[in-house]
Amino acid sequence: MIGKTLSRASFVSACLFGLASQVMAQSADPAWLDELSAQLASEKQCAVDYYLNIREGELAGRLTFEARAQCADGRQFDAARTEPAAEFTISECGVQVC
Protein backbone atom coordinates (compact mmCIF):
# COMPACT_ATOMS: atom_id res chain seq x y z
CA MET A 1 0.00 0.00 0.00
CA ILE A 2 2.78 2.44 0.87
CA GLY A 3 4.52 1.65 -2.44
CA LYS A 4 1.33 2.41 -4.38
CA THR A 5 0.85 5.66 -2.48
CA LEU A 6 4.42 6.74 -3.21
CA SER A 7 4.19 5.84 -6.86
CA ARG A 8 0.89 7.71 -7.19
CA ALA A 9 2.42 10.72 -5.47
CA SER A 10 5.43 10.51 -7.77
CA PHE A 11 3.16 10.28 -10.79
CA VAL A 12 1.09 13.29 -9.68
CA SER A 13 4.27 15.28 -8.98
CA ALA A 14 5.67 14.41 -12.40
CA CYS A 15 2.43 15.45 -14.10
CA LEU A 16 2.30 18.76 -12.24
CA PHE A 17 5.96 19.45 -13.03
CA GLY A 18 5.38 18.69 -16.71
CA LEU A 19 2.35 20.98 -16.79
CA ALA A 20 4.23 23.78 -15.04
CA SER A 21 7.17 23.53 -17.43
CA GLN A 22 4.82 23.84 -20.42
CA VAL A 23 3.20 26.95 -18.94
CA MET A 24 6.58 28.56 -18.24
CA ALA A 25 8.10 27.70 -21.64
CA GLN A 26 9.03 30.50 -24.02
CA SER A 27 7.08 31.13 -27.17
CA ALA A 28 7.98 29.61 -30.53
CA ASP A 29 9.51 32.98 -31.52
CA PRO A 30 13.27 33.57 -31.35
CA ALA A 31 14.41 34.72 -27.91
CA TRP A 32 15.14 38.25 -29.16
CA LEU A 33 11.47 38.73 -30.15
CA ASP A 34 10.43 37.71 -26.65
CA GLU A 35 12.88 40.29 -25.29
CA LEU A 36 11.47 42.92 -27.65
CA SER A 37 7.90 42.10 -26.59
CA ALA A 38 8.88 42.59 -22.95
CA GLN A 39 10.62 45.91 -23.69
CA LEU A 40 7.63 47.19 -25.70
CA ALA A 41 5.23 46.21 -22.91
CA SER A 42 7.38 47.97 -20.33
CA GLU A 43 8.31 51.14 -22.21
CA LYS A 44 5.40 51.69 -24.61
CA GLN A 45 2.52 49.77 -22.98
CA CYS A 46 2.23 47.74 -26.18
CA ALA A 47 0.76 44.26 -26.17
CA VAL A 48 2.27 42.82 -29.36
CA ASP A 49 -0.23 41.07 -31.64
CA TYR A 50 2.30 40.14 -34.31
CA TYR A 51 5.54 41.16 -36.01
CA LEU A 52 6.22 42.33 -39.57
CA ASN A 53 9.50 42.55 -41.49
CA ILE A 54 11.52 40.42 -39.08
CA ARG A 55 15.20 40.51 -40.02
CA GLU A 56 18.32 39.03 -38.49
CA GLY A 57 21.69 39.89 -39.98
CA GLU A 58 25.30 40.68 -39.39
CA LEU A 59 27.08 44.01 -39.70
CA ALA A 60 30.85 44.27 -39.21
CA GLY A 61 30.80 40.94 -37.38
CA ARG A 62 28.02 41.97 -35.00
CA LEU A 63 24.53 40.44 -34.99
CA THR A 64 21.66 42.76 -35.92
CA PHE A 65 17.94 42.36 -35.23
CA GLU A 66 15.07 44.38 -36.73
CA ALA A 67 11.30 44.07 -36.64
CA ARG A 68 8.10 46.07 -36.82
CA ALA A 69 5.63 45.30 -34.04
CA GLN A 70 1.86 45.60 -34.39
CA CYS A 71 0.25 46.37 -31.01
CA ALA A 72 -3.23 45.20 -30.00
CA ASP A 73 -4.37 48.86 -29.92
CA GLY A 74 -3.30 49.47 -33.55
CA ARG A 75 -0.01 51.27 -32.98
CA GLN A 76 3.13 50.08 -34.76
CA PHE A 77 6.74 50.37 -33.66
CA ASP A 78 10.01 49.79 -35.50
CA ALA A 79 12.75 48.28 -33.38
CA ALA A 80 16.41 47.55 -34.01
CA ARG A 81 19.32 46.23 -31.97
CA THR A 82 22.95 45.65 -32.87
CA GLU A 83 24.87 43.50 -30.43
CA PRO A 84 26.41 44.01 -27.90
CA ALA A 85 23.57 46.45 -27.06
CA ALA A 86 21.18 44.95 -24.52
CA GLU A 87 18.11 47.00 -25.44
CA PHE A 88 16.33 47.82 -28.67
CA THR A 89 16.04 51.28 -30.19
CA ILE A 90 12.30 51.73 -30.60
CA SER A 91 10.47 54.36 -32.66
CA GLU A 92 6.72 54.69 -33.23
CA CYS A 93 5.60 54.46 -36.84
CA GLY A 94 3.63 57.48 -37.96
CA VAL A 95 1.26 57.94 -40.86
CA GLN A 96 3.21 58.05 -44.13
CA VAL A 97 1.95 59.99 -47.10
CA CYS A 98 3.46 59.39 -50.52
Side-chain angles (χ1 to χ4, degrees):
M1 180 79 171
I2 292 175
K4 286 185 179 182
T5 303
L6 287 177
S7 55
R8 283 184 188 162
S10 297
F11 175 76
V12 170
S13 294
C15 288
L16 290 174
F17 178 77
L19 183 63
S21 65
Q22 288 179 358
V23 170
M24 294 169 51
Q26 287 186 339
S27 70
D29 291 330
W32 67 270
L33 285 178
D34 292 335
E35 294 167 9
L36 177 55
S37 291
Q39 186 177 341
L40 283 165
S42 171
E43 293 179 11
K44 305 294 184 181
Q45 294 70 47
C46 168
V48 177
D49 267 351
Y50 56 90
Y51 287 102
L52 303 162
N53 303 328
I54 299 169
R55 285 187 229 126
E56 297 179 14
E58 192 173 323
L59 179 64
R62 298 184 301 174
L63 295 177
T64 61
F65 306 96
E66 298 178 18
R68 176 169 287 177
Q70 174 71 44
C71 305
D73 62 10
R75 294 177 296 154
Q76 290 187 338
F77 292 93
D78 282 331
R81 178 174 79 184
T82 301
E83 290 188 339
E87 294 197 342
F88 289 86
T89 301
I90 298 172
S91 58
E92 188 166 4
C93 300
V95 177
Q96 296 180 351
V97 179
C98 298

